[in-house]
């Protein structure tokens, strides 16, 4: 449990998420994140030199990845600070924020910036030397597709792990999945109401190069598929006998986000509303049994709640990283939740999954939902590669 780590209200941003092979497909993820953070800080009139450390999160290699954290710090206008690079698959955001909070708690530094980015588009291909192979042929890896299709331990595709959880838990049907998927799209529409009023509380545009002389702007999420129960029902499961169609799973995307993590006094100073206080309360983590990734959301959430000293009934807002709809159904069944009231205003199932920044955006949306509700506890949880999960409790008061 943390008592000293705070996020200034309004001290965070996310770009829109663009479906992979869309407008952001050619942007270097580190360069785009650094330049976007610099522009956002300028609009807030925050001098990047206030930061003592950068906690940087990214999962997919980019050119010059070796230099990611210090390079990103320089690009955002803080060339004299150091930082670390964390790659924790889909739980990168929660792990980055936990690292920042732990350092605040121990007094390592007082003000830090957490910068999350990824570009799923045009992922790299790694060639590994293999002189003992037949004819000296190399070992090759697609950073995106090879890892989506199954990791080195078990070799089970991501969607199969979701179906494994459905089979083990029992009682989850395709009709349940389609019904919740349609509900998630309805909830996302609430974020678009009144000219995207909710999203504009935290979202800023992303600039990209069209040509050497022309720039484009992504102002809203790109590549989202309109979804209704009527459109989902006739879709066949991807895996025969399963419950997930292509409409009931997320899509890879590109984007970035950033959050300030600091002390209570500094957070109050930087807040856009002095009446609101945002505290990082606790972190939880877990690993489920092999090839049952979606199960990890529950023990990680329970750990975070236990460390916060609260129960699930004390939580006002719940957000999840849900690459497959069954994630939410399993969690709701195990923890006694109304699955239809989770993930208000959107989730990765609908707006996509750039990996590194996905959880960060979900946490921002949770903070804003809590602000609308007048404060309270929020729980974010999500699964990640390797059958792992990570969760975080936030309090808005």
């Amino acid at each position: 449990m943390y008592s000293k780590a705070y996020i200034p209200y309004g001290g965070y941003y996310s770009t829109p998420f663009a479906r992979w092979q869309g407008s952001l497909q050619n942007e270097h993820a580190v360069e785009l994140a650094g330049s976007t953070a610099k522009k956002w800080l300028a609009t807030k009139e925050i001098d990047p030199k206030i930061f003592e450390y950068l906690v940087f999160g990214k999962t997919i290699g980019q050119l010059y990845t070796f230099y990611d954290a210090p390079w990103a710090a320089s690009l955002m206008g803080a060339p004299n600070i150091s930082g670390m690079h964390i790659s924790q698959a889909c739980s990168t955001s929660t792990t980055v924020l936990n690292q920042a909070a732990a350092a605040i708690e121990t007094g390592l530094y007082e003000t830090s910036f957490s910068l999350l980015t990824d570009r799923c588009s045009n992922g790299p291909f790694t060639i590994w030397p293999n002189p003992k192979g037949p004819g000296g042929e190399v070992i090759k890896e697609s950073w995106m597709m090879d890892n989506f299709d199954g990791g080195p331990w078990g070799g089970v595709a991501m969607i199969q792990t979701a179906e494994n959880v459905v089979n083990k838990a029992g009682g989850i049907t395709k009709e349940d999945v389609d019904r919740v998927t349609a509900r998630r799209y309805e909830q996302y529409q609430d974020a678009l109401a009144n000219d995207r009023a909710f999203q504009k509380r935290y979202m800023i545009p992303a600039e990209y190069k069209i040509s050497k002389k022309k720039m484009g702007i992504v102002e809203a999420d790109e590549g989202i598929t309109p979804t209704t129960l009527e459109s989902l029902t006739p879709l066949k499961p991807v895996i025969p006998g399963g419950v997930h169609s292509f409409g009931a799973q997320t899509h890879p995307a590109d984007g970035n986000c950033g959050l300030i993590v600091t002390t209570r006094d500094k957070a109050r100073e930087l807040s856009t509303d002095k009446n609101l206080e945002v505290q990082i309360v606790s972190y939880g983590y877990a690993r489920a049994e092999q090839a049952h990734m979606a199960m990890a959301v529950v023990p990680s959430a329970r750990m975070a709640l236990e460390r916060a000293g609260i129960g699930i009934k004390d939580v006002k807002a719940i957000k999840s990283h849900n690459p497959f709809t069954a994630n939410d159904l399993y969690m709701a069944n195990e923890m006694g939740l109304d699955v239809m009231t989770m993930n208000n205003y959107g989730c990765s199932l609908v707006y996509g999954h750039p990996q590194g920044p996905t959880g960060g955006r979900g946490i921002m949306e949770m903070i804003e939902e809590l602000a609308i509700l007048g404060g309270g506890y929020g729980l974010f949880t999500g699964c990640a590669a390797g059958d792992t999960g990570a969760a975080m409790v936030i309090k808005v008061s």
Side-chain angles (χ1 to χ4, degrees):
M1 183 175 181
Y2 296 122
S3 61
K4 301 177 182 178
Y6 290 79
I7 298 170
Y9 178 71
Y12 40 79
Y13 82 85
S14 175
T15 66
F17 288 176
R19 196 182 191 102
W20 64 338
Q21 304 310 118
S23 296
L24 301 182
Q25 65 172 300
N26 296 317
E27 299 302 302
H28 191 293
V30 181
E31 292 180 334
L32 181 61
S35 62
T36 304
K38 183 176 182 178
K39 291 170 187 174
W40 174 76
L41 290 166
T43 65
K44 296 291 183 179
E45 298 183 346
I46 296 175
D47 186 346
K49 293 179 182 177
I50 68 169
F51 302 120
E52 301 162 69
Y53 203 76
L54 175 68
V55 190
F56 182 83
K58 177 180 66 60
T59 73
I60 302 170
Q62 300 280 274
L63 187 63
Y64 300 123
T65 275
F66 197 75
Y67 295 92
D68 275 351
W71 183 23
S74 297
L75 292 171
M76 62 182 274
N80 297 321
I81 67 170
S82 184
M84 67 171 67
H85 177 194
I86 293 176
S87 179
Q88 193 68 19
C90 314
S91 61
T92 294
S93 285
T94 34
T95 305
V96 163
L97 287 172
N98 179 63
Q99 179 65 37
I104 299 295
E105 196 76 15
T106 58
L108 182 62
Y109 45 72
E110 292 189 348
T111 306
S112 66
F113 194 69
S114 294
L115 184 59
L116 296 310
T117 191
D118 258 319
R119 189 191 73 193
C120 290
S121 298
N122 306 319
F125 294 84
T126 302
I127 301 296
W128 305 94
N130 185 24
K132 294 184 179 180
E137 291 188 3
V138 298
I139 299 170
K140 57 185 182 298
E141 176 191 14
S142 166
W143 279 49
M144 278 294 299
M145 300 312 298
D146 286 348
N147 289 294
F148 274 13
D149 289 341
W153 187 62
V156 178
M158 296 291 186
I159 189 169
Q160 183 63 64
T161 70
E163 297 292 357
N164 289 349
V165 171
V166 170
N167 292 333
K168 189 176 185 68
I172 297 175
T173 66
K174 183 177 183 294
E175 290 74 19
D176 295 329
V177 166
D178 289 346
R179 181 171 51 88
V180 175
T181 304
R183 171 61 180 156
R184 294 294 177 260
Y185 185 75
E186 289 177 355
Q187 290 167 300
Y188 178 74
Q189 299 311 298
D190 293 336
L192 305 183
N194 301 317
D195 191 27
R196 298 176 47 243
F198 181 83
Q199 288 188 346
K200 288 179 179 179
R201 297 167 75 106
Y202 68 88
M203 188 178 287
I204 63 171
E207 292 187 342
Y208 66 97
K209 295 177 183 176
I210 296 175
S211 65
K212 288 184 177 180
K213 296 182 179 181
K214 187 176 181 180
M215 298 293 293
I217 297 178
V218 179
E219 296 193 34
D221 294 323
E222 183 180 280
I224 293 175
T225 302
T227 303
T228 63
L229 185 58
E230 290 72 24
S231 66
L232 290 166
T233 299
L235 298 179
K236 300 297 183 183
V238 176
I239 297 176
V243 298
H244 292 92
S245 67
F246 281 112
Q249 55 185 297
T250 190
H251 56 266
D254 308 327
N256 64 80
C257 72
L259 306 92
I260 299 170
V261 181
T262 184
T263 62
R264 185 178 190 180
D265 289 343
K266 192 65 175 180
R268 185 179 296 114
E269 176 188 331
L270 296 172
S271 176
T272 57
D273 186 338
K274 310 301 182 187
N275 296 316
L276 289 173
E277 191 171 76
V278 183
Q279 181 185 358
I280 298 176
V281 180
S282 64
Y283 173 78
Y285 57 89
R287 186 171 185 178
E289 63 180 276
Q290 185 177 3
H292 288 76
M293 181 175 69
M295 282 185 168
V297 298
V298 172
S300 60
R302 285 175 172 159
M303 181 179 183
L305 291 169
E306 181 181 355
R307 290 187 170 185
I310 62 173
I312 193 65
K313 292 182 179 179
D314 298 310
V315 175
K316 273 193 178 181
I318 299 174
K319 299 283 281 192
S320 69
H321 162 50
N322 46 2
F324 306 100
T325 306
N327 284 48
D328 287 352
L329 281 158
Y330 176 76
M331 180 179 174
N333 291 343
E334 289 292 307
M335 300 186 73
L337 304 171
D338 180 354
V339 72
M340 296 305 197
T341 62
M342 299 167 55
N343 283 311
N344 291 321
Y345 300 105
C347 57
S348 54
L349 178 69
V350 176
Y351 51 61
H353 180 31
Q355 299 188 175
T358 304
R361 173 172 172 175
I363 289 170
M364 292 174 210
E365 292 179 339
M366 184 172 72
I367 291 170
E368 294 296 349
E369 181 180 357
L370 289 169
I372 292 170
L373 294 173
Y377 288 103
L379 170 67
F380 175 85
T381 188
C383 65
D387 305 304
T388 64
M392 182 162 279
V393 172
I394 300 283
K395 184 181 180 182
V396 176
S397 54

